[in-house]
Every structure is written in C-alpha cells, then in structure tokens.
Amino acid sequence: MCRVFAGQDPEGYRQINRSIRIDGHSTSIQLEATFWALLDEIAENQGLTTPKFISKLYDEAIEINGAIPNFASMLRTTCALYLRGHRPGMDEQMVPKRQAA
C-alpha cells in the first residue's frame, strides 16, 4: 500500500519558488511542483493565469477572513479541496461569509 506513496517520483515534491504580484506587491511563494501543477490546472479551469488566480484568491480570502496566517498552506489546502471535488460556483453558495462582529 505505502509503495504507491513512498515510490513517487521525487520531482513531484521538489520545491519551486515563483514570484507573483499580489495586492501590488511582488512576493515569492515556495511550493512543491505537484501543488504548482494543480494550481495551474485550477487557474486554467477558471480561465485565468496562475498569478491572476492566486491574486484573486488572496483578495477574496482577505475579504472573507481579514487575514491569512500562512498563504502557502492555504494554497496547498486549496489544492486538496480541488482534488476532493470542490469547485468554484458549486461551493460558493454553500460557504457563508463571516459575519462582522
């Protein structure tokens, strides 16, 4: 059973840095190659470039949550949600926006 996971190609978990402009600031994000491939796929499905998708995701997360403690982790969990079948449009009606205190 674990051979499927243990025997995976090391290229998939190689760290890759990409420079992206978010909220007018240039920043570097480091993720594993597999996550970058998934983010590229998600962005393409949304009709966006990966940098535009990430920037839009950041803006919406700030609007909803007010802060993002670890954006790289948020990108990884975005990929996990995508793999579990969650898709924009389908889920947007199901996730209530956080109420102001």
Side-chain angles (χ1 to χ4, degrees):
M1 174 188 97
C2 289
R3 289 193 179 275
V4 171
F5 304 118
Q8 68 182 291
D9 184 354
E11 183 62 24
Y13 52 86
R14 180 176 59 92
Q15 294 285 312
I16 296 174
N17 282 305
R18 287 193 190 176
S19 292
I20 295 179
R21 186 168 290 279
I22 298 176
D23 197 27
H25 298 73
S26 186
T27 189
S28 180
I29 300 172
Q30 183 179 50
L31 295 171
E32 295 77 11
T34 298
F35 288 112
W36 282 119
L38 281 165
L39 288 169
D40 291 342
E41 181 179 322
I42 295 167
E44 183 179 332
N45 288 339
Q46 293 298 301
L48 300 168
T49 64
T50 302
K52 287 280 188 194
F53 170 74
I54 290 173
S55 181
K56 184 176 175 109
L57 177 63
Y58 177 86
D59 290 343
E60 289 181 14
I62 291 293
E63 179 184 321
I64 293 167
N65 298 311
I68 305 168
N70 187 330
F71 191 57
S73 290
M74 182 188 171
L75 291 174
R76 288 184 190 94
T77 56
T78 295
C79 292
L81 287 168
Y82 177 77
L83 290 174
R84 288 180 154 183
H86 297 272
R87 301 292 189 270
M90 173 180 76
D91 296 327
E92 288 174 348
Q93 299 89 10
M94 298 168 30
V95 180
K97 290 193 175 190
R98 189 175 285 200
Q99 299 294 325

